Amino acid sequence: MHPGEVCWLTVTVSGQNPVRAKLSGKILISIPKKVVAKAVSRNRIQRVLRVASQTVLKVDAGKIYYLRVVRMPKNVSFHMIKDALEKAIL
């Protein structure tokens, strides 16, 4: 595992681009259908991950935060996802 990876989640942060410096930061979330087959589960993970990322990440202007689910998480609770996200960005 590399530093931005927890067992089921990877976090990649793009560098500051002078062209994008005036734009607000973005959070992109990717949950492939091969990883989480059911749409209901994908949507729930995405909703909880979006809320957790808004509370944990301090989004810098011009940066893009790419969150990718690489394995199906065992439990989809806010606190579990928030802890995983905090571990991934350290």
Side-chain angles (χ1 to χ4, degrees):
M1 280 193 297
H2 60 80
E5 182 177 351
V6 180
C7 60
W8 61 272
L9 175 70
T10 61
V11 177
T12 307
V13 181
S14 73
Q16 184 99 9
N17 186 341
V19 175
R20 283 189 262 139
K22 295 180 182 178
L23 302 175
S24 63
K26 296 198 182 283
I27 298 173
L28 303 176
I29 300 171
S30 173
I31 306 171
K33 190 184 275 189
K34 286 185 177 183
V35 174
V36 181
K38 294 186 178 184
V40 173
S41 299
R42 281 195 310 273
N43 292 338
R44 170 136 175 87
I45 294 169
Q46 186 171 5
R47 281 194 311 271
V48 175
L49 193 55
R50 183 180 303 121
V51 171
S53 65
Q54 289 172 352
T55 60
V56 172
L57 294 175
K58 305 297 183 242
V59 179
D60 296 331
K63 289 190 177 181
I64 297 176
Y65 297 83
Y66 182 64
L67 310 175
R68 180 176 169 87
V69 175
V70 293
R71 289 189 193 94
M72 177 68 176
K74 294 179 184 175
N75 183 8
V76 186
S77 69
F78 174 76
H79 297 293
M80 189 274 307
I81 289 181
K82 183 178 172 186
D83 292 340
L85 192 57
E86 287 173 348
K87 287 179 189 176
I89 60 173
L90 291 180

